[in-house]
């Protein structure tokens, strides 16, 4: 796989999502959880979606239960929680693993393309963020503690390219 557009993932509804449909758009891909100290970042992710969506930003949230069991719900529970508590209208995808042998192939690619601290490819916690250029290449990886609003300058820069 040469870029993010080569992958197909699964929506929270179970439908396939071909990421090539986002060619020409900037993507923010995030592993999320509903019962995490960083869960309030859903509000910031939704704000980015509202602020930049019409300019071509696609926010993709991938629920993950690998960190402290903080995403125990099924697809319906996750979707309802995100909509009710944070007004999430950006795309939520199927619950996945981001580390280990069963890791979602997209995340294997992202981790290799943008390693973390000291070159580690492992994702350390929920709400690790990957910003993707319009051509599907990885621009940057952000730590879980990086708040979504701190990405506005980078997002605006990529949208203007």
């Amino acid at each position: 796989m040469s870029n993010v557009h080569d992958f197909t993932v699964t929506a929270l509804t179970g439908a396939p999502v071909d990421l090539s449909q986002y060619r020409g758009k900037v993507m923010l891909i995030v592993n999320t959880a509903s019962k995490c100290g960083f869960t309030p970042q859903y509000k910031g992710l939704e704000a980015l979606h509202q602020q930049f969506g019409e300019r071509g930003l696609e926010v993709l949230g991938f629920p993950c239960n690998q960190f402290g069991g903080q995403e125990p719900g099924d697809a319906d529970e996750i979707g309802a929680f995100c909509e009710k508590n944070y007004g999430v209208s950006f795309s939520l995808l199927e619950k996945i693993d981001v580390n280990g042998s069963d890791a979602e192939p997209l995340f294997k690619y992202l981790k290799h393309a943008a390693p973390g601290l000291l070159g580690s490819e492992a994702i350390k916690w929920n709400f690790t963020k990957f910003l993707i250029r319009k051509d599907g290449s990885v621009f940057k990886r952000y730590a879980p503690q990086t708040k979504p609003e701190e990405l506005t300058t980078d997002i605006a820069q990529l949208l203007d390219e």
Side-chain angles (χ1 to χ4, degrees):
M1 304 286 182
S2 62
N3 68 49
V4 171
H5 297 145
D6 294 336
F7 291 88
T8 298
V9 294
T10 305
L12 201 57
T13 61
V17 178
D18 184 344
L19 296 184
S20 68
Q21 70 181 307
Y22 300 123
R23 195 176 315 277
K25 295 188 174 204
V26 172
M27 289 186 278
L28 180 61
I29 298 174
V30 187
N31 66 304
T32 61
S34 299
K35 299 183 182 305
C36 174
F38 295 122
T39 299
Q41 287 190 24
Y42 271 125
K43 183 178 179 183
L45 294 170
E46 179 63 21
L48 291 176
H49 172 68
Q50 294 297 325
Q51 180 179 357
F52 294 111
E54 288 185 14
R55 289 183 55 198
L57 175 68
E58 292 290 336
V59 178
L60 304 176
F62 286 84
C64 178
N65 195 41
Q66 284 190 292
F67 306 103
Q70 296 179 343
E71 188 56 90
D74 64 19
D76 290 339
E77 292 167 328
I78 293 166
F81 172 86
C82 292
E83 185 177 340
K84 177 183 179 224
N85 294 294
Y86 296 100
V88 168
S89 64
F90 59 82
S91 297
L92 290 173
L93 290 301
E94 179 179 63
K95 185 160 67 170
I96 59 159
D97 285 351
V98 295
N99 291 327
S101 59
D102 292 331
E104 165 65 43
L106 170 64
F107 274 80
K108 289 180 183 179
Y109 170 81
L110 293 171
K111 294 184 305 181
H112 181 72
L117 195 61
L118 303 176
S120 170
E121 289 189 12
I123 290 182
K124 304 291 188 214
W125 206 254
N126 303 308
F127 291 89
T128 298
K129 301 157 201 70
F130 294 90
L131 190 57
I132 312 302
R133 292 180 182 93
K134 293 177 185 179
D135 67 2
S137 63
V138 180
F139 174 72
K140 192 172 178 183
R141 175 179 180 158
Y142 303 87
Q145 58 269 31
T146 303
K147 294 182 173 100
E149 52 270 25
E150 295 175 51
L151 280 58
T152 56
T153 301
D154 288 348
I155 291 169
Q157 173 190 330
L158 293 185
L159 288 169
D160 290 341
E161 284 184 351

